[in-house]
Amino acid sequence: MAENRTNIDQFQLRLPPGMRERIKAAGDRNGRSMNAEIVRALEMAFPEPVSISARLEELHHLFSAMRKIRGYGGAIDVITEEIVNAIEAGAAGRDPTLDDDAVGELQKALLKWNGRQDADLAARKRAVDEKYQSNGEAE
């Protein structure tokens, strides 16, 4: 299928001696055109940005999965606390590298994170309550 070239940015590039040949050879080895090889290298060097809330979502799933592994709960809690501390510092505006939009995004993500933590805690409490409610004794 032909690529729609009407919305593609074009950029003239001057390469140092020998680089064109290296790019062509790499493209040949990988079954790509020189353009595709260059674009791939640029994608690797400059990946598309991921929002803070998306990263926090990934962390939440990772921590939830890791908590299910016996014996590592304490370590996961320490890691979680450190990450939350860093996020709270950013949300409070104490990170000078963050602009107002990033601080606002962190504040929203932190509210969502805290809500999830509260929901997870409530679910764990319900599960423990159900486990010990059968006869009023532990099995």
Side-chain angles (χ1 to χ4, degrees), residues 23-108:
I23 295 169
K24 172 110 175 74
D28 290 345
R29 276 192 312 273
N30 297 317
R32 291 189 276 267
S33 67
M34 284 183 59
N35 186 77
E37 195 68 27
I38 291 168
V39 169
R40 181 191 175 279
L42 291 171
E43 281 282 349
M44 296 298 291
F46 303 101
E48 189 171 330
V50 179
S51 72
I52 292 168
S53 55
R55 289 186 186 273
L56 289 176
E57 181 78 21
E58 290 172 12
L59 282 173
H60 176 76
H61 291 300
L62 176 65
F63 290 148
S64 293
M66 291 176 74
R67 278 196 178 92
K68 294 176 183 173
I69 301 171
R70 295 181 191 263
Y72 292 99
I76 300 303
D77 290 342
V78 169
I79 293 168
T80 303
E81 184 178 336
E82 288 300 315
I83 291 171
V84 171
N85 287 342
I87 293 167
E88 286 173 342
R94 294 193 309 261
D95 183 341
T97 65
L98 298 176
D99 61 17
D100 290 342
D101 290 338
V103 170
E105 190 176 350
L106 273 175
Q107 289 169 345
K108 289 180 206 169

